[in-house]
Amino acid sequence: MTPKPISDAPPDQDRISITVNGRLIEAGSGDNLSAVLWANGYLSFGRDPFTGAERSVYCGIGHCGQCLVTVDGVEDQRACRLNVRDGMRVEFPVSYSTADGNHEH
């Protein structure tokens, strides 16, 4: 997957790197984590442990819990409420989907 900068990022914005499930991704410093994930083709962030349905950003304001990810080893972090920082490690619980239709575990 080729990293894609968010199109409306200011040209003078510092670029940083985060790791998503072992893959290095470039982002603008302070970009919203869920936006960075979507811009890089991660459409679902895991599966609901009870129903098996894919989870992703739903409400975008931190209430629904559909965008839960593990950040730097801390589980159940809401991607829609976090800004990326250099060296951040993001992992999806169980399995997830990418824009090219691949399901990874």
Side-chain angles (χ1 to χ4, degrees):
M1 202 176 297
T2 304
K4 301 173 190 169
I6 296 176
S7 61
D8 60 353
D12 60 344
Q13 184 179 27
D14 290 336
R15 305 305 292 170
I16 61 159
S17 295
I18 67 170
T19 303
V20 179
N21 286 352
R23 292 185 177 149
L24 199 60
I25 290 180
E26 184 179 300
S29 179
D31 283 349
N32 176 269
L33 177 56
S34 60
V36 169
L37 294 172
W38 271 64
N40 282 276
Y42 293 98
L43 305 182
S44 74
F45 306 161
R47 294 191 174 274
D48 183 280
F50 301 105
T51 67
E54 291 185 346
R55 296 185 316 174
S56 188
V57 177
Y58 180 70
C59 72
I61 58 173
H63 289 286
C64 72
Q66 291 298 303
C67 62
L68 296 178
V69 296
T70 299
V71 176
D72 296 329
V74 180
E75 295 179 351
D76 297 334
Q77 301 297 300
R78 288 171 167 79
C80 71
R81 302 286 295 164
L82 296 174
N83 294 333
V84 295
R85 61 186 179 285
D86 197 36
M88 179 183 267
R89 291 176 300 113
V90 179
E91 297 172 357
F92 302 135
V94 189
S95 65
Y96 58 94
S97 297
T98 57
D100 56 12
N102 291 327
H103 293 274
E104 301 189 24
H105 301 276

